[in-house]
Amino acid sequence: MRVDVAVDGAVGTLTLDAPPLNLLSDDLRRALLDALSDFRARRLRAVIVTGRGRAFCAGADLRDEAKLTAEQVQAFLDADEAVFTALAEFPGATIAAVNGYAYGGGFELALACDIRVAARAARFAGVGVKLGLTVSTARLPRLVGEGAALDLLLTGRTVDADEAQGLGLVSAVADDVEAEARRCADVVASRAPLSVQANKVGLRHCARLPLAEAVTYERGEWARLQRTRDHREAVSAFFAKRPPEFRGE
Protein backbone atom coordinates (compact mmCIF):
# COMPACT_ATOMS: atom_id res chain seq x y z
CA MET A 1 0.00 0.00 0.00
CA ARG A 2 1.43 3.37 -1.03
CA VAL A 3 -1.44 5.47 0.35
CA ASP A 4 -2.40 5.85 4.01
CA VAL A 5 -6.18 6.02 4.35
CA ALA A 6 -7.95 7.62 7.31
CA VAL A 7 -11.55 8.55 8.02
CA ASP A 8 -12.67 10.94 10.73
CA GLY A 9 -16.37 11.69 10.75
CA ALA A 10 -17.46 12.78 7.27
CA VAL A 11 -13.90 13.55 6.12
CA GLY A 12 -11.45 11.13 4.53
CA THR A 13 -7.71 11.72 4.20
CA LEU A 14 -5.42 10.12 1.63
CA THR A 15 -1.70 10.49 2.36
CA LEU A 16 0.69 9.53 -0.41
CA ASP A 17 3.49 7.56 1.24
CA ALA A 18 5.99 6.48 -1.39
CA PRO A 19 9.24 8.18 -0.35
CA PRO A 20 11.16 10.14 -1.30
CA LEU A 21 9.01 11.83 -3.98
CA ASN A 22 5.62 10.06 -3.85
CA LEU A 23 5.86 9.24 -7.55
CA LEU A 24 2.77 8.02 -9.35
CA SER A 25 2.96 4.25 -9.77
CA ASP A 26 0.46 1.52 -10.60
CA ASP A 27 0.21 0.64 -6.90
CA LEU A 28 -0.34 4.25 -5.85
CA ARG A 29 -2.95 4.89 -8.55
CA ARG A 30 -4.82 1.71 -7.64
CA ALA A 31 -4.77 2.59 -3.95
CA LEU A 32 -6.15 6.06 -4.65
CA LEU A 33 -8.94 4.71 -6.85
CA ASP A 34 -9.89 2.02 -4.33
CA ALA A 35 -9.99 4.53 -1.47
CA LEU A 36 -12.04 7.06 -3.43
CA SER A 37 -14.51 4.33 -4.40
CA ASP A 38 -14.84 3.34 -0.74
CA PHE A 39 -15.26 6.98 0.33
CA ARG A 40 -18.00 7.45 -2.27
CA ALA A 41 -19.82 4.33 -1.03
CA ARG A 42 -19.58 5.65 2.54
CA ARG A 43 -20.95 9.02 1.40
CA LEU A 44 -18.10 11.02 2.87
CA ARG A 45 -18.54 14.73 2.36
CA ALA A 46 -14.92 15.82 1.87
CA VAL A 47 -11.58 14.25 0.97
CA ILE A 48 -8.11 15.60 1.71
CA VAL A 49 -5.17 14.49 -0.45
CA THR A 50 -1.66 15.16 0.84
CA GLY A 51 1.84 13.71 0.79
CA ARG A 52 4.30 12.49 3.38
CA GLY A 53 7.82 13.91 3.36
CA ARG A 54 9.19 16.64 1.13
CA ALA A 55 6.89 15.98 -1.83
CA PHE A 56 3.17 16.14 -2.44
CA CYS A 57 3.71 14.18 -5.64
CA ALA A 58 6.53 14.72 -8.12
CA GLY A 59 4.72 13.04 -11.01
CA ALA A 60 5.42 9.79 -12.81
CA ASP A 61 8.59 7.76 -12.50
CA LEU A 62 10.61 8.65 -15.60
CA ARG A 63 12.21 5.21 -15.53
CA ASP A 64 8.77 3.66 -16.06
CA GLU A 65 7.76 6.23 -18.67
CA ALA A 66 10.94 5.68 -20.68
CA LYS A 67 10.13 1.97 -21.08
CA LEU A 68 6.68 2.52 -22.59
CA THR A 69 6.05 1.13 -26.04
CA ALA A 70 3.76 2.95 -28.47
CA GLU A 71 1.03 0.44 -27.60
CA GLN A 72 1.36 1.12 -23.85
CA VAL A 73 1.27 4.92 -23.91
CA GLN A 74 -2.52 5.29 -24.01
CA ALA A 75 -3.03 2.89 -21.10
CA PHE A 76 -0.39 4.81 -19.12
CA LEU A 77 -2.17 8.12 -19.73
CA ASP A 78 -5.59 6.58 -19.04
CA ALA A 79 -4.38 5.27 -15.66
CA ASP A 80 -3.42 8.78 -14.54
CA GLU A 81 -6.60 10.33 -15.89
CA ALA A 82 -8.74 7.76 -14.07
CA VAL A 83 -7.39 9.09 -10.76
CA PHE A 84 -7.79 12.74 -11.77
CA THR A 85 -11.36 12.12 -12.94
CA ALA A 86 -12.25 10.22 -9.76
CA LEU A 87 -11.16 13.25 -7.74
CA ALA A 88 -12.95 15.76 -9.96
CA GLU A 89 -16.18 13.73 -9.99
CA PHE A 90 -16.23 12.82 -6.29
CA PRO A 91 -19.62 14.03 -4.96
CA GLY A 92 -18.10 15.93 -2.03
CA ALA A 93 -15.22 18.39 -1.98
CA THR A 94 -11.69 17.22 -2.75
CA ILE A 95 -8.93 19.29 -1.16
CA ALA A 96 -5.24 19.08 -2.05
CA ALA A 97 -3.05 19.86 0.96
CA VAL A 98 0.15 20.49 -0.98
CA ASN A 99 2.97 19.93 1.47
CA GLY A 100 5.94 20.05 -0.93
CA TYR A 101 6.81 19.41 -4.56
CA ALA A 102 3.85 19.17 -6.96
CA TYR A 103 5.49 18.60 -10.33
CA GLY A 104 4.22 17.17 -13.61
CA GLY A 105 1.61 14.54 -12.85
CA GLY A 106 1.65 15.65 -9.22
CA PHE A 107 0.79 19.18 -10.36
CA GLU A 108 -2.10 17.67 -12.32
CA LEU A 109 -3.17 15.70 -9.23
CA ALA A 110 -3.48 18.96 -7.30
CA LEU A 111 -5.30 20.64 -10.21
CA ALA A 112 -7.86 17.82 -10.28
CA CYS A 113 -8.94 18.64 -6.72
CA ASP A 114 -11.64 21.23 -6.09
CA ILE A 115 -9.62 23.28 -3.60
CA ARG A 116 -5.88 23.60 -3.05
CA VAL A 117 -4.10 24.83 0.07
CA ALA A 118 -0.32 25.04 0.29
CA ALA A 119 2.38 24.71 2.89
CA ARG A 120 5.04 27.41 2.75
CA ALA A 121 7.40 24.77 1.37
CA ALA A 122 5.05 23.88 -1.50
CA ARG A 123 6.36 24.21 -5.05
CA PHE A 124 4.39 23.84 -8.28
CA ALA A 125 5.62 23.22 -11.82
CA GLY A 126 4.25 22.02 -15.12
CA VAL A 127 7.49 20.50 -16.36
CA GLY A 128 6.36 19.20 -19.75
CA VAL A 129 8.60 21.54 -21.77
CA LYS A 130 11.62 20.38 -19.79
CA LEU A 131 10.91 16.79 -20.82
CA GLY A 132 9.74 17.31 -24.38
CA LEU A 133 6.14 16.60 -23.34
CA THR A 134 2.93 18.48 -22.58
CA VAL A 135 0.84 18.47 -19.42
CA SER A 136 -1.76 20.63 -17.62
CA THR A 137 -2.95 22.44 -20.78
CA ALA A 138 -6.55 21.39 -20.05
CA ARG A 139 -6.99 22.11 -16.33
CA LEU A 140 -4.50 24.88 -15.55
CA PRO A 141 -5.93 27.66 -17.78
CA ARG A 142 -9.38 27.03 -16.34
CA LEU A 143 -7.99 27.95 -12.93
CA VAL A 144 -5.52 30.76 -13.60
CA GLY A 145 -6.43 32.02 -17.08
CA GLU A 146 -4.68 31.58 -20.40
CA GLY A 147 -1.96 34.18 -19.87
CA ALA A 148 -0.70 32.84 -16.55
CA ALA A 149 -0.99 29.25 -17.80
CA LEU A 150 1.11 30.05 -20.87
CA ASP A 151 3.76 31.64 -18.68
CA LEU A 152 4.00 28.56 -16.47
CA LEU A 153 3.75 25.92 -19.18
CA LEU A 154 6.03 27.49 -21.81
CA THR A 155 8.80 28.15 -19.29
CA GLY A 156 8.28 25.15 -17.02
CA ARG A 157 9.31 27.40 -14.15
CA THR A 158 8.67 26.58 -10.51
CA VAL A 159 6.13 28.61 -8.54
CA ASP A 160 6.34 28.98 -4.77
CA ALA A 161 3.35 29.00 -2.44
CA ASP A 162 2.95 32.78 -2.27
CA GLU A 163 3.01 33.20 -6.05
CA ALA A 164 0.61 30.28 -6.41
CA GLN A 165 -1.83 32.07 -4.11
CA GLY A 166 -1.45 35.29 -6.09
CA LEU A 167 -2.26 33.42 -9.29
CA GLY A 168 -5.37 31.87 -7.73
CA LEU A 169 -3.84 28.41 -7.95
CA VAL A 170 -4.21 27.91 -4.18
CA SER A 171 -6.73 29.52 -1.86
CA ALA A 172 -4.54 29.62 1.25
CA VAL A 173 -0.92 29.29 2.40
CA ALA A 174 -0.50 27.88 5.88
CA ASP A 175 2.21 26.90 8.35
CA ASP A 176 0.17 23.76 9.13
CA VAL A 177 -1.26 22.78 5.76
CA GLU A 178 -3.05 19.66 6.99
CA ALA A 179 -4.82 21.63 9.72
CA GLU A 180 -5.86 24.26 7.17
CA ALA A 181 -7.13 21.58 4.81
CA ARG A 182 -9.07 19.95 7.64
CA ARG A 183 -10.60 23.28 8.62
CA CYS A 184 -11.78 23.74 5.04
CA ALA A 185 -13.03 20.14 4.83
CA ASP A 186 -15.04 20.53 8.04
CA VAL A 187 -16.71 23.66 6.69
CA VAL A 188 -17.71 21.93 3.45
CA ALA A 189 -18.82 18.81 5.33
CA SER A 190 -21.20 20.97 7.37
CA ARG A 191 -22.99 22.19 4.23
CA ALA A 192 -25.85 20.53 2.35
CA PRO A 193 -24.28 17.61 0.40
CA LEU A 194 -26.64 17.78 -2.57
CA SER A 195 -25.95 21.49 -2.88
CA VAL A 196 -22.17 20.95 -2.71
CA GLN A 197 -22.40 18.39 -5.49
CA ALA A 198 -24.71 20.57 -7.59
CA ASN A 199 -22.34 23.52 -7.28
CA LYS A 200 -19.35 21.38 -8.35
CA VAL A 201 -21.12 19.93 -11.35
CA GLY A 202 -22.92 23.13 -12.25
CA LEU A 203 -19.86 25.35 -12.20
CA ARG A 204 -17.97 23.13 -14.63
CA HIS A 205 -20.97 22.45 -16.83
CA CYS A 206 -21.97 26.12 -17.07
CA ALA A 207 -18.42 27.15 -17.99
CA ARG A 208 -18.92 25.35 -21.31
CA LEU A 209 -22.29 26.95 -22.11
CA PRO A 210 -23.40 30.30 -23.53
CA LEU A 211 -24.59 32.58 -20.72
CA ALA A 212 -28.31 32.21 -21.43
CA GLU A 213 -28.07 28.41 -21.42
CA ALA A 214 -25.96 28.47 -18.27
CA VAL A 215 -28.55 30.60 -16.46
CA THR A 216 -31.33 28.23 -17.57
CA TYR A 217 -29.36 25.26 -16.23
CA GLU A 218 -28.67 27.04 -12.94
CA ARG A 219 -32.35 27.91 -12.46
CA GLY A 220 -33.32 24.29 -13.09
CA GLU A 221 -30.90 23.13 -10.40
CA TRP A 222 -32.20 25.77 -7.99
CA ALA A 223 -35.74 24.51 -8.52
CA ARG A 224 -34.65 20.89 -8.01
CA LEU A 225 -32.80 21.63 -4.78
CA GLN A 226 -35.63 23.81 -3.49
CA ARG A 227 -37.74 20.65 -3.19
CA THR A 228 -35.21 18.70 -1.12
CA ARG A 229 -35.48 17.78 2.53
CA ASP A 230 -32.16 19.55 3.21
CA HIS A 231 -33.51 22.87 1.94
CA ARG A 232 -36.57 22.58 4.17
CA GLU A 233 -34.29 21.71 7.08
CA ALA A 234 -32.09 24.75 6.38
CA VAL A 235 -35.07 27.10 6.41
CA SER A 236 -36.44 25.53 9.59
CA ALA A 237 -33.05 25.76 11.30
CA PHE A 238 -32.65 29.40 10.26
CA PHE A 239 -35.88 30.46 11.93
CA ALA A 240 -35.23 28.24 14.96
CA LYS A 241 -31.73 29.75 15.29
CA ARG A 242 -30.03 26.34 15.38
CA PRO A 243 -27.48 24.58 13.15
CA PRO A 244 -29.09 22.59 10.33
CA GLU A 245 -28.77 18.80 10.21
CA PHE A 246 -28.20 17.92 6.58
CA ARG A 247 -28.70 14.35 5.36
CA GLY A 248 -28.16 14.63 1.63
CA GLU A 249 -31.87 14.17 0.96
Side-chain angles (χ1 to χ4, degrees):
M1 175 68 71
R2 296 297 186 96
V3 177
D4 286 344
V5 180
V7 175
D8 181 13
V11 178
T13 300
L14 303 175
T15 304
L16 281 59
D17 188 13
L21 296 175
N22 297 325
L23 298 176
L24 290 169
S25 64
D26 287 341
D27 287 345
L28 190 145
R29 295 183 191 97
R30 191 176 304 110
L32 286 171
L33 287 172
D34 288 347
L36 288 168
S37 178
D38 177 61
F39 287 177
R40 180 186 281 261
R42 295 168 70 170
R43 301 180 69 183
L44 296 190
R45 298 186 181 184
V47 175
I48 297 167
V49 182
T50 191
R52 180 161 290 131
R54 59 193 175 99
F56 172 72
C57 174
D61 190 329
L62 292 179
R63 292 168 296 188
D64 292 339
E65 185 269 329
K67 298 174 185 175
L68 294 175
T69 65
E71 293 75 20
Q72 293 171 324
V73 166
Q74 193 60 53
F76 175 81
L77 295 173
D78 288 347
D80 275 350
E81 189 56 36
V83 175
F84 306 150
T85 299
L87 284 166
E89 295 183 353
F90 188 80
T94 53
I95 302 165
V98 183
N99 55 298
Y101 305 133
Y103 292 167
F107 187 32
E108 195 73 6
L109 185 68
L111 295 177
C113 292
D114 302 316
I115 300 168
R116 285 150 299 283
V117 295
R120 300 199 182 278
R123 297 293 183 270
F124 303 85
V127 296
V129 291
K130 294 183 177 181
L131 300 172
L133 298 169
T134 181
V135 69
S136 303
T137 56
R139 290 184 173 90
L140 182 61
R142 286 171 165 80
L143 288 173
V144 302
E146 182 178 306
L150 284 168
D151 172 24
L152 298 182
L153 297 182
L154 299 188
T155 64
R157 68 184 182 87
T158 299
V159 174
D160 66 19
D162 288 333
E163 184 177 2
Q165 186 176 26
L167 290 170
L169 183 58
V170 303
S171 56
V173 177
D175 293 322
D176 187 338
V177 71
E178 290 189 38
E180 176 62 20
R182 181 58 198 242
R183 183 200 64 77
C184 182
D186 285 340
V187 170
V188 175
S190 73
R191 307 311 190 203
L194 295 178
S195 181
V196 169
Q197 184 178 15
N199 276 281
K200 279 185 59 165
V201 173
L203 187 149
R204 289 164 179 153
H205 179 66
C206 288
R208 300 191 296 268
L209 298 176
L211 179 59
E213 292 180 29
V215 170
T216 298
Y217 175 88
E218 180 183 68
R219 292 176 65 176
E221 285 296 276
W222 190 97
R224 179 180 68 85
L225 292 170
Q226 194 270 342
R227 298 189 295 273
T228 62
R229 179 263 175 201
D230 279 354
H231 173 65
R232 295 192 298 273
E233 163 63 11
V235 173
S236 177
F238 175 81
F239 287 111
K241 295 182 172 55
R242 60 172 175 79
E245 296 181 7
F246 294 125
R247 299 179 186 171
E249 301 172 355

